[in-house]
């Protein structure tokens, strides 16, 4: 994801872990939290599939709980190739912001192992080796392992939402911070703020992770030429 990245699939699933009105965790309210809803794995290529994702992501009535939304939202808003998405997300809660902005892998270390039984390790897919040579880590058509990995991210998020409580007691603060984030992304269609941050992170990376970051930055820069009014267009 992110500027110059490519979203090929979207994963969607109903959760009962959080009350959509109060944003209070179900566990804190004493309600049962088990959820066995069937999820969706959507291929983001045809107009019909993109339309389904747009209807959900742009709806102010459907609250979406996600983990680390910035790069996915940038792609939803501004991806031009291989297909233009043009999805403007609303009613987003980046649950990551409720837990000190921890990455998912680190956050899962705080979930009792019995609640993660059956889920493969987060590190089972070697994203860095593929991204370092500018290739997709999960090429289409997805293998069964890759498809399960993609959907299992929903189950990982659900396990966190069911078993861990935000420090503030609800996800209201994370929702407010997510609204600020979306406003910032909408006001920066070329992602210049993200580009400055990526250049900062590049200086702190070493080895293959530095190469991955350099590839991401170059893809971002090249993507600017696809937009009208890119800062250096025609220079």
């Amino acid at each position: 994801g992110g500027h110059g990245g490519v979203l090929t699939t979207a994963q969607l699933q109903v959760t009962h872990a959080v009350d959509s009105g109060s944003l209070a965790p179900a566990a804190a309210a004493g309600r049962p939290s088990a959820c066995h809803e069937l999820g969706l794995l959507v291929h983001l290529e045809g107009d019909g599939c993109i339309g389904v994702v747009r209807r959900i992501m742009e709806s102010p009535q459907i609250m979406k709980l996600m983990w680390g939304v910035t790069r996915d939202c940038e792609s939803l808003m501004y991806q031009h190739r291989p297909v233009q998405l043009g999805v403007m997300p609303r009613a987003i809660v980046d649950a990551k912001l409720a837990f000190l902005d921890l990455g998912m892998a680190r956050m899962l270390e705080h979930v009792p192992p019995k609640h993660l039984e059956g889920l493969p390790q987060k590190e089972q897919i070697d994203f860095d080796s593929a991204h370092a040579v500018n290739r997709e880590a999960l090429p289409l058509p997805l293998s069964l392992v890759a498809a399960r990995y993609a959907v299992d991210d929903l189950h990982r998020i659900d396990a966190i939402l069911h078993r861990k409580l935000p420090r503030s007691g609800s996800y209201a603060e994370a929702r407010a911070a997510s609204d600020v984030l979306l406003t910032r992304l909408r006001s920066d269609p070329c992602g210049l703020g993200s580009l400055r941050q990526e250049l900062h992170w590049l200086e702190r990376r070493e080895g293959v992770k530095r190469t991955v970051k350099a590839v991401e930055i170059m893809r971002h820069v090249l993507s600017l030429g696809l937009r009208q009014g890119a800062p250096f267009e025609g220079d």
Side-chain angles (χ1 to χ4, degrees), residues 129-196:
S129 294
H131 292 170
V133 293
N134 197 27
R135 293 179 180 172
E136 293 178 337
L138 302 176
L140 298 174
L142 292 181
S143 67
L144 183 58
V145 170
R148 284 176 173 168
Y149 175 89
V151 174
D152 280 341
D153 253 1
L154 298 176
H155 302 146
R156 295 183 186 97
I157 295 173
D158 221 33
I160 295 170
L161 298 178
H162 282 149
R163 303 301 170 184
K164 305 303 294 184
L165 297 178
R167 298 177 66 183
S168 64
S170 83
Y171 290 92
E173 291 183 5
R175 165 70 195 276
S178 300
D179 285 343
V180 171
L181 171 62
L182 289 176
T183 298
R184 177 171 61 82
L185 296 182
R186 284 192 288 266
S187 67
D188 186 14
C190 290
L192 299 185
S194 293
L195 188 57
R196 283 191 291 270

Side-chain angles (χ1 to χ4, degrees), residues 53-54 56-60 64 66 69 72-77 86-92 178-179 182-183 185-186:
V53 172
R54 176 178 290 109
I56 293 171
M57 296 302 296
E58 294 186 350
S59 171
K64 279 77 65 176
M66 303 169 64
V69 305
D72 285 341
C73 285
E74 285 175 339
S75 286
L76 286 170
M77 292 176 175
V87 175
M88 294 295 162
R90 301 176 65 185
I92 295 289
S178 300
D179 285 343
L182 289 176
T183 298
L185 296 182
R186 284 192 288 266

